[in-house]
Amino acid sequence: QVQLVESGGGSVQAGGTLRLSCVASGNTLRPRYCMGWFRQTEGQGREVVAYIYTSGGGTFHADSVAGRFTISQDTDKNTVYLQMNNLKPEDSAMYYCAAGASMEWVRGRDNGMDSWGKGTLVTVSS
């Protein structure tokens, strides 16, 4: 099973930037397979933020972050990044790296993911 380790969370002021990293151990370079990020605030379910097709490089970004966040990957390092610019207080959440079949990502099914990281906290103050 793939293991995922996130880093890069922290506290910033509105308008600031952060870059999250997720290192995968194990084979994630498969067809129809994605890695990406969910986020969750207290009392809410997990929502898809962005994901990337590991063997093709295609990406998806949620409307709420499009134009501000960018997901990318370094396949040599088995690492996925989430560059977060122009952060807003509503971006404050626990961010989780996940990996799973692309169809599960397209459907936004967090319970369909194969692997999860432990999460990294992002706090944006106004």
Side-chain angles (χ1 to χ4, degrees), residues 5-79:
V5 178
E6 306 105 330
S7 61
S11 297
V12 297
Q13 291 192 324
T17 65
L18 285 172
R19 189 176 82 153
L20 306 184
S21 300
C22 176
V23 180
S25 61
N27 180 26
T28 59
L29 206 62
R30 319 170 195 173
R32 297 180 298 280
Y33 202 77
C34 295
M35 287 181 61
W37 302 86
F38 284 81
R39 67 185 181 186
Q40 184 175 28
T41 54
E42 193 170 346
Q44 302 295 317
R46 289 173 176 168
E47 64 169 348
V48 174
V49 177
Y51 56 88
I52 187 165
Y53 287 77
T54 56
S55 64
T59 62
F60 168 86
H61 297 81
D63 288 345
S64 58
V65 306
R68 300 186 298 119
F69 292 12
T70 304
I71 191 168
S72 62
Q73 66 180 348
D74 184 332
T75 54
D76 290 339
K77 295 182 179 179
N78 241 10
T79 301

Side-chain angles (χ1 to χ4, degrees), residues 11-19 68-69 83-89 91 122-125:
S11 297
V12 297
Q13 291 192 324
T17 65
L18 285 172
R19 189 176 82 153
R68 300 186 298 119
F69 292 12
Q83 178 68 42
M84 305 188 293
N85 299 330
N86 190 21
L87 281 158
K88 303 177 180 180
D91 294 319
V122 171
T123 303
V124 185
S125 57

Side-chain angles (χ1 to χ4, degrees), residues 69-115:
F69 292 12
T70 304
I71 191 168
S72 62
Q73 66 180 348
D74 184 332
T75 54
D76 290 339
K77 295 182 179 179
N78 241 10
T79 301
V80 170
Y81 304 98
L82 186 68
Q83 178 68 42
M84 305 188 293
N85 299 330
N86 190 21
L87 281 158
K88 303 177 180 180
E90 53 264 41
D91 294 319
S92 297
M94 186 70 79
Y95 284 70
Y96 296 92
C97 181
S102 58
M103 186 55 67
E104 302 295 343
W105 282 99
V106 170
R107 293 171 176 168
R109 285 168 47 87
D110 59 343
N111 60 359
M113 296 295 117
D114 295 335
S115 302

